[in-house]
Amino acid sequence: MTTRIDDLLDIDQMLEPEELAIRQTVREFGEQRLRPHIAEWFEAGEVPVRELATEFGKLGLLGMHLTGYGCGESSATAYGVVCQELEAVDSGLRSMVSVQGSLAMFAIHRHGSEEQRQQWLPGMATGDTIGCFGLTEPDFGSNPSGMRTTARRDGSDWILNGSKMWITNGSEADVAIVWARAEEGILGFVVPGGTDGFTARKMTHKLSLRASNTSELSFDDVRLPEDARLPGARGLSGPLACLSEARFGIVFGSVGAARDCLQTAIDYVGTREVFDKPLAGYQITQVKIADMAVELGKAQLLALHLGRLKDAGRIRPEQVSFGKLNNVREALEIARQCRTLLGANGITLEYPVLRHANNLESVLTYEGTSEVHQMVIGEALTGVSAFR
């Protein structure tokens, strides 16, 4: 008799009925709707963003942890569980939901005016309106304070100039949340798609996150009215609060990718014969599986602990950094180790492990590199900043 990965530590006993129910719904959706197509989407570098967004919206996954405006008002842990199930299929699909809900929608929900919330959030919750989040620039990723995109006043309007890079959903977006440097400090703006001077170009030739729309945004004397500015955001704390929301989803999501790799490897070694017996029957195989299961279990427990802290309103940025650093790092190592168990079959799209590993290479560096999170934790423990 074998034990399911989820049962090894009785993780289900730690989840509330609502969390188990939404997990089952999304898991079934992933198996029936997403998994049959994901290898094709990854290989083609194309994903039906608008079609999937409306389906995610019908399931109530977009902005599900936000309150009002058609959002789900679910627990943070329930949102995390959803991220885990989506990333078990592919990191790009979790990223689509994360960018929509935890970056673009969260920015409007947290920093926007009531008029901005009423205008944009209901449509974004249903998936009829696609959003993106423009912070990273060609020369400034880990150091957003150095951004060169500028906003200057011109009468009662603002003029935006600059560019943003690696923007998920950018070329599909109906609205972009854009961060720019002004005399007043770092400000956020709601920029509708189609605004004069605003262009988005899809980025190609990626080896990772291929089942995700990634774009470069350009702003050439984009004129915006005063009511396009996010009134509640001033300084880097505005975009950084949004990043912390997105990182929280990654803490859970990366566990999903690792779980899918490990389950694939366990299934494979049970049927693959080497020297006249299943690969699963060799001690070194079982040592690898056991070690991976231990790291996966610890990552699951860490994610759930942080989910409960967030639901209690007590989570701190360094704790999110702790989770992102550990869980993505361990998920990537699990994906690589599982690839070795599959041998040459592990490099094909017939199996998900190398696709997950390629994706996790991006997840390791976006929303804060491992080095950034190490310094966040280091500063929390020593009281000394090492960023400059």
Side-chain angles (χ1 to χ4, degrees):
M1 181 177 177
T2 60
T3 299
R4 291 171 58 250
I5 293 174
D6 285 343
D7 294 338
L8 190 60
L9 293 177
D10 286 336
I11 294 293
D12 286 8
Q13 303 302 315
M14 304 174 69
L15 297 174
E16 299 294 332
E18 175 209 357
E19 295 157 358
L20 288 169
I22 189 65
R23 185 186 72 176
Q24 186 61 28
T25 296
V26 177
R27 183 173 291 184
E28 290 176 359
F29 178 79
E31 292 299 318
Q32 297 168 12
R33 173 67 178 95
L34 303 175
R35 197 175 290 276
H37 305 288
I38 189 60
E40 172 190 343
W41 293 338
F42 186 91
E43 186 169 31
E46 297 281 349
V47 63
V49 173
R50 291 198 169 273
E51 183 179 334
L52 291 179
T54 56
E55 294 182 52
F56 290 145
K58 287 176 182 177
L59 290 174
L61 308 185
L62 303 178
M64 60 179 286
H65 58 307
L66 304 177
T67 58
Y69 312 100
C71 300
E73 305 185 26
S74 69
S75 70
T77 304
Y79 169 63
V81 167
V82 164
C83 288
Q84 185 170 321
E85 295 306 316
L86 290 174
E87 195 146 357
V89 181
D90 193 84
S91 299
L93 301 176
R94 191 270 309 149
S95 186
M96 183 190 305
V97 170
S98 177
V99 167
Q100 178 86 346
S102 289
L103 289 178
M105 292 178 70
F106 179 82
I108 296 172
H109 194 277
R110 167 69 69 87
H111 303 302
S113 66
E114 182 60 26
E115 291 74 17
Q116 289 168 338
R117 298 185 191 115
Q118 294 285 355
Q119 179 181 0
W120 295 108
L121 291 179
M124 296 176 80
T126 61
D128 295 316
T129 301
I130 305 294
C132 69
F133 186 86
L135 177 63
T136 299
E137 297 188 356
D139 296 318
F140 293 94
S142 296
N143 177 24
S145 65
M147 72 174 66
R148 292 175 179 153
T149 298
T150 61
R152 62 176 176 83
R153 283 195 176 277
D154 184 42
S156 61
D157 293 339
W158 292 90
I159 305 297
L160 221 59
N161 280 284
S163 62
K164 301 292 180 178
M165 192 75 120
W166 307 112
I167 308 303
T168 299
N169 297 342
S171 64
E172 293 281 350
D174 301 294
V175 60
I177 305 303
V178 181
W179 302 91
R181 177 180 300 284
E183 287 186 5
E184 296 85 346
I186 303 298
L187 302 178
F189 296 88
V190 179
V191 184
T195 302
D196 288 345
F198 171 32
T199 57
R201 178 184 64 85
K202 183 179 177 182
M203 300 173 65
T204 57
H205 303 297
K206 296 184 298 179
L207 297 177
S208 178
L209 291 179
R210 291 181 56 79
S212 177
N213 178 288
T214 308
S215 305
E216 180 180 7
L217 310 183
S218 297
F219 309 93
D220 184 10
D221 286 337
V222 174
R223 181 175 292 273
L224 299 169
E226 169 62 25
D227 62 12
R229 184 174 62 85
L230 293 171
R234 189 175 295 251
L236 272 178
S237 61
L240 292 183
C242 302
L243 288 179
S244 189
E245 284 291 304
R247 290 165 179 165
F248 173 80
I250 293 172
V251 173
F252 278 85
S254 55
V255 173
R259 187 193 73 206
D260 193 50
C261 289
L262 182 54
Q263 188 62 62
T264 298
I266 290 171
D267 294 343
Y268 182 85
V269 299
T271 58
R272 172 72 171 183
E273 289 202 355
V274 179
F275 300 114
D276 301 321
K277 74 173 184 179
L279 186 55
Y282 291 89
Q283 290 181 357
I284 193 167
T285 301
Q286 294 197 7
V287 166
K288 287 182 177 182
I289 288 173
D291 285 348
M292 288 188 286
V294 168
E295 293 307 319
L296 177 62
K298 291 191 290 187
Q300 285 179 314
L301 292 173
L302 174 57
L304 284 172
H305 174 63
L306 294 179
R308 299 305 181 209
L309 285 177
K310 187 167 176 59
D311 283 326
R314 294 176 18 230
I315 199 165
R316 302 191 304 272
E318 64 267 25
Q319 294 170 328
V320 178
S321 286
F322 189 113
K324 204 266 187 182
L325 173 65
N326 179 81
N327 286 12
V328 179
R329 188 164 59 185
E330 296 306 321
L332 181 56
E333 181 56 34
I334 288 170
R336 290 169 173 167
Q337 190 72 275
C338 286
R339 210 289 302 165
T340 70
L341 290 174
L342 269 69
N345 283 324
I347 72 167
T348 73
L349 280 173
E350 183 179 353
Y351 299 93
V353 290
L354 194 57
R355 173 170 54 80
H356 280 308
N358 280 4
N359 287 336
L360 288 166
E361 288 287 355
S362 291
V363 179
L364 188 71
T365 53
Y366 75 22
E367 314 287 355
T369 65
S370 293
E371 293 82 359
V372 164
H373 293 298
Q374 287 168 324
M375 288 192 289
V376 169
I377 296 167
E379 182 176 353
L381 293 174
T382 67
V384 181
S385 173
F387 282 95
R388 293 184 182 277

